[in-house]
Amino acid sequence: MCSCSKLDLLERMSILNVLVVGRKGVGKSTFIDIHTNDDGTYNDMSISTVDGMEYKVKYFEYEENNKEQYKHKDLILCCFAVNDVDSYNKLDQEYVQECKEDGRNTPMLAVGTMCDLRDDPDREDMVSIQQGIDMACKVGATAYLECSTTSNFNLDELQEEIVKVILADRETQKNKTSNFSFGIVKFLLGR
């Protein structure tokens, strides 16, 4: 018999919904494709194993002028390309306020994409790691990570961090509810 509680099993089987925001060309689609097409077919969901347990992660790419897209999302990935200072500046100017207003308390991660291009000796206009950390603090993100879909750098770590942030947020939300209301739900479910 499993030593997990029924609530743990339900949480693991549920789908973790992630909205990916940022300007066109920062690598959002490529990130989603890499995490969902391991077998070469299109699928908007991936399986992530964290601490020995599997979780389903479903990605949604940002759609302009669609306030409904924030409903039922567990996390918002705020993306910019480290080789595109304009995408960094526009993230805060164009997306973050909307995310905060319409995403209401949805946790966010700041993600610098295309970090494999940081070492390009012909470029001096890169977003620094410190600027990425500053952006994460400014937008209220729980962390800042960099990744590269070209070199597969940090992709698994980012996927794991996504799951951990969502699970931590769920735990926080669960602890905010009173035992009395949980008892009612438990009673109504006959458990």
Side-chain angles (χ1 to χ4, degrees):
M1 180 165 175
C2 180
S3 63
C4 308
S5 73
K6 290 179 184 178
L7 187 60
D8 289 339
L9 288 173
L10 286 173
E11 185 174 273
R12 283 198 335 240
M13 291 188 310
S14 68
I15 296 170
L16 310 178
N17 295 304
V18 177
L19 179 63
V20 185
V21 303
R23 291 190 73 193
K24 185 176 182 175
V26 300
K28 300 181 309 286
S29 298
T30 306
F31 171 77
I32 292 170
D33 288 347
I34 281 180
H35 272 289
T36 57
N37 293 334
D38 289 341
D39 64 353
T41 61
Y42 179 77
N43 180 2
D44 59 358
M45 194 173 331
S46 66
I47 305 292
S48 182
T49 303
V50 175
D51 297 330
M53 297 186 189
E54 288 187 348
Y55 299 91
K56 294 179 183 177
V57 182
K58 185 169 184 171
Y59 292 99
F60 299 84
E61 191 164 345
Y62 176 83
E63 298 172 13
E64 202 168 327
N65 300 319
N66 179 2
K67 302 232 183 247
E68 295 294 310
Q69 68 190 327
Y70 292 97
K71 287 186 176 180
H72 310 295
K73 299 302 182 287
D74 298 299
L75 183 103
I76 300 171
L77 281 185
C78 300
C79 301
F80 62 89
V82 300
N83 68 328
D84 183 356
V85 176
D86 193 44
S87 74
Y88 172 83
N89 293 329
K90 298 291 184 182
L91 181 64
D92 186 32
Q93 296 167 4
E94 294 180 4
Y95 301 100
V96 172
Q97 192 58 38
E98 180 182 315
C99 291
K100 286 181 177 180
E101 289 172 8
D102 298 329
R104 294 190 190 108
N105 300 321
T106 303
M108 290 190 257
L109 283 176
V111 179
T113 63
M114 302 184 187
C115 69
D116 58 297
L117 300 176
R118 184 183 302 287
D119 297 329
D120 185 348
D122 298 328
R123 302 282 306 255
E124 294 181 19
D125 59 341
M126 297 287 178
V127 177
S128 71
I129 293 172
Q130 186 58 53
Q131 286 174 300
I133 293 168
D134 293 345
M135 177 63 77
C137 293
K138 185 176 184 180
V139 305
T142 56
Y144 171 68
L145 291 108
E146 291 189 346
C147 67
S148 167
T149 56
T150 302
S151 67
N152 289 327
F153 178 73
N154 258 0
L155 294 178
D156 291 337
E157 292 81 0
L158 176 56
Q159 178 85 353
E160 185 174 325
E161 187 66 20
I162 288 167
V163 173
K164 286 181 176 182
V165 168
I166 292 170
L167 294 178
D169 184 64
R170 285 184 176 182
E171 186 66 28
T172 300
Q173 297 305 321
K174 186 170 65 173
N175 289 337
K176 287 182 181 179
T177 61
S178 73
N179 288 335
F180 181 71
S181 63
F182 178 72
I184 291 172
V185 171
K186 189 174 175 183
F187 175 74
L188 293 174
L189 293 174
R191 295 186 180 108

